[in-house]
Amino acid sequence: MNFWKKKQRKIRVVYIVQYKAGYYKVKDIIKTMVDDPSVEIKVLAFPSDINNYSIEDYKYWKEKLGDCVINARVGNDWFDLEKYNPDYVFFQRPYNIYLPKCYNSKIISSYARTCYMNYGYNLSKHTSNAAFNNDFFSDLDIFFAENEYEKDCVANQIFGGDKRKITVNYGYPYLDELKKQIKNNKSMFGRGYYNILWTPRWTTDNEICGTSFFEYKENLLSFVKKYNDVQFVFRPHPMMFDNFVAKKQMSSKEVKNYLKIYDGLRYVYDNSSEYQDTFRDSDILITDYSSIIIEYLLYNKPIIICKRNEKSSNCILEKIYKVCYLVNNFEELTNQISELKMGNDILKSEREKLIKELFDEYDGQVKYKIVNFIKNDYSKSKSRGKKND
């Protein structure tokens, strides 16, 4: 292809999406590209399970993002991305295993610049973090970090100082949007109740910080039933029950029977793809290690952490732990819930200080900075040369 002819067209960006619960993490970047006259963006929508195709996944993204969304499934085959000749391909998740072989990061990196930003704000050290697997990151060209710690770690630990790979820090895009939402923090759900939200982790593997689910699933429900003014919302990680069934830690029947307890009124099982309203309407969060901790922190509401691995926490999570209530057993958990329900939130002022430290820099510009980086990087391609030229 003639380079100068290629330079006259718009920058072709493809965003591969598959994880509906992560919609809010990518929507602002995508919509900013849609509105930019120098960018042509296509959102390639994959089913959550490529072995069980459902058009509902495509319909979901199409409804959310409009005409830029195209179906990854074409008849009985997959969309031929290489023929589209993209300049940049963003991955929503860093796992080749969930995509068809033709969308393996190594294959795509042979004809386009590959890009990624964490779908969840990373709070652990990379040395033991499955989200930074070499199978994907060895093929990555550009990583958009959420903070300077993350930038340095990926550049040095994951990329090994390879100068051909780029790491930049503009912040976490979703936190910009979340700050705006919280300014209008009016609850429309569960009022009249003290709303407790529980979000247990998806795995029992203590090496990556296991779940509190099996330890508290019966006793916690029994405890909250003592209170007529409590609404208990159970929102497990989307992968949790599938993982337990796959590893024979629960049967499908046991999952079904457990969920019968939740009547949708005082006891709510929330498995919706979006969780912003659930966070907004809660009074406290009970959780295990999770990237959602930093999102919930912005609401300045109490956080009780049941399962944690302090050896693997990065410097940001270490600060967050100091403004959360850390419990080690059921007695400590119930005592802490009772204290908070009575209004004894002794860490509130410390949370406010940390919120200011971590989030004051967010000014609504992260999405523009990322898109402008792509535009500037593309303009340099004349001297660098393109992979698919």
Side-chain angles (χ1 to χ4, degrees), residues 14-23 25-27 30 41-50 57-58 60-62 64-65 68-72 78 89-93 98-100 103:
V14 171
Y15 215 121
I16 295 174
V17 297
Q18 190 177 32
Y19 182 53
K20 290 187 287 187
Y23 161 70
K25 311 297 175 62
V26 300
K27 72 179 181 69
I30 291 171
I41 180 168
K42 299 295 181 184
V43 177
L44 201 56
F46 277 87
S48 54
D49 182 357
I50 59 173
D57 297 271
Y58 163 68
Y60 171 87
W61 291 99
K62 183 79 171 179
K64 293 290 187 182
L65 296 169
C68 68
V69 178
I70 56 179
N71 196 344
W78 300 107
V89 175
F90 280 75
F91 291 81
Q92 188 188 20
R93 296 195 297 177
Y98 296 121
L99 291 167
Y103 279 80

Side-chain angles (χ1 to χ4, degrees), residues 357-387:
E357 176 187 335
L358 294 179
F359 306 122
D360 264 12
E361 65 183 27
Y362 284 93
D363 57 1
Q365 297 301 304
V366 175
K367 58 189 177 184
Y368 299 112
K369 291 174 182 177
I370 291 173
V371 175
N372 285 335
F373 175 87
I374 292 296
K375 292 161 66 175
N376 291 332
D377 184 75
Y378 183 74
S379 71
K380 296 174 183 176
S381 61
K382 178 179 178 182
S383 59
R384 183 181 60 235
K386 292 290 293 179
K387 290 183 177 182

Side-chain angles (χ1 to χ4, degrees), residues 13 16 41 46 53 91 96 165 168 172 202 205 233 249 257 293 306 313 319 334 354 374 384 388:
V13 178
I16 295 174
I41 180 168
F46 277 87
Y53 171 73
F91 291 81
N96 286 320
K165 296 178 178 292
V168 291
Y172 194 56
W202 60 278
D205 186 351
V233 181
Q249 294 166 326
N257 287 339
I293 293 172
C306 301
S313 58
K319 293 179 179 180
T334 54
L354 184 59
I374 292 296
R384 183 181 60 235
N388 48 359

Side-chain angles (χ1 to χ4, degrees), residues 144-351:
F144 294 96
E146 54 260 46
N147 53 60
E148 280 299 303
Y149 171 86
E150 186 83 347
K151 176 185 172 182
D152 292 342
C153 285
V154 170
N156 297 319
Q157 293 184 36
I158 310 301
F159 288 162
D162 188 340
K163 300 299 183 183
R164 295 169 299 177
K165 296 178 178 292
I166 299 171
T167 57
V168 291
N169 167 35
Y170 296 127
Y172 194 56
Y174 176 59
L175 293 180
D176 263 344
E177 177 65 21
L178 190 57
K179 281 186 71 174
K180 294 179 186 176
Q181 292 179 16
I182 291 173
K183 288 181 180 178
N184 187 28
N185 189 22
K186 295 181 180 179
S187 175
M188 299 177 65
F189 170 77
R191 293 305 85 188
Y193 290 112
Y194 187 77
N195 193 312
I196 298 173
L197 171 62
W198 183 34
T199 61
R201 191 156 166 77
W202 60 278
T203 178
T204 57
D205 186 351
N206 288 325
E207 288 297 315
I208 52 175
C209 194
T211 182
S212 63
F213 175 73
F214 290 105
E215 186 174 355
Y216 298 138
K217 67 184 179 73
E218 305 294 346
N219 290 339
L220 190 51
L221 272 170
S222 297
F223 171 77
V224 298
K225 283 179 180 178
K226 298 176 182 178
Y227 297 94
N228 293 325
D229 60 344
V230 166
Q231 184 173 57
F232 185 74
V233 181
F234 171 56
R235 184 183 172 86
H237 188 285
M239 293 168 53
M240 191 185 82
F241 283 128
D242 288 342
N243 184 56
F244 291 165
V245 171
K247 294 191 173 181
K248 302 188 185 307
Q249 294 166 326
M250 289 185 80
S251 67
S252 297
K253 184 177 181 180
E254 286 173 326
V255 172
K256 185 176 181 180
N257 287 339
Y258 177 73
L259 292 178
K260 285 180 180 178
I261 300 169
Y262 295 89
D263 58 12
L265 299 172
R266 283 190 55 209
Y267 311 103
V268 180
Y269 169 50
D270 178 14
N271 65 341
S272 59
S273 61
E274 298 158 16
Y275 55 82
Q276 288 67 32
D277 289 350
T278 303
F279 277 21
R280 180 199 65 194
D281 296 334
S282 64
D283 290 293
I284 64 170
L285 171 67
I286 302 170
T287 191
D288 306 319
Y289 164 78
S290 171
S291 63
I292 65 170
I293 293 172
I294 198 163
E295 297 173 32
Y296 197 86
L297 180 65
L298 254 176
Y299 290 87
N300 194 16
K301 297 177 182 181
I303 301 171
I304 302 175
I305 298 180
C306 301
K307 293 287 185 178
R308 59 194 182 279
N309 187 341
E310 291 167 336
K311 291 182 179 179
S312 68
S313 58
N314 66 25
C315 59
I316 296 172
L317 184 54
E318 288 172 357
K319 293 179 179 180
I320 293 174
Y321 278 158
K322 292 178 181 178
V323 300
C324 294
Y325 299 94
L326 310 179
V327 299
N328 300 296
N329 53 55
F330 185 66
E331 182 180 3
E332 291 181 5
L333 175 58
T334 54
N335 287 342
Q336 192 58 70
I337 294 171
S338 298
E339 287 292 315
L340 292 170
K341 189 173 181 295
M342 290 188 292
N344 298 326
D345 181 9
I346 62 174
L347 294 176
K348 183 175 182 179
S349 62
E350 294 302 311
R351 278 201 313 273

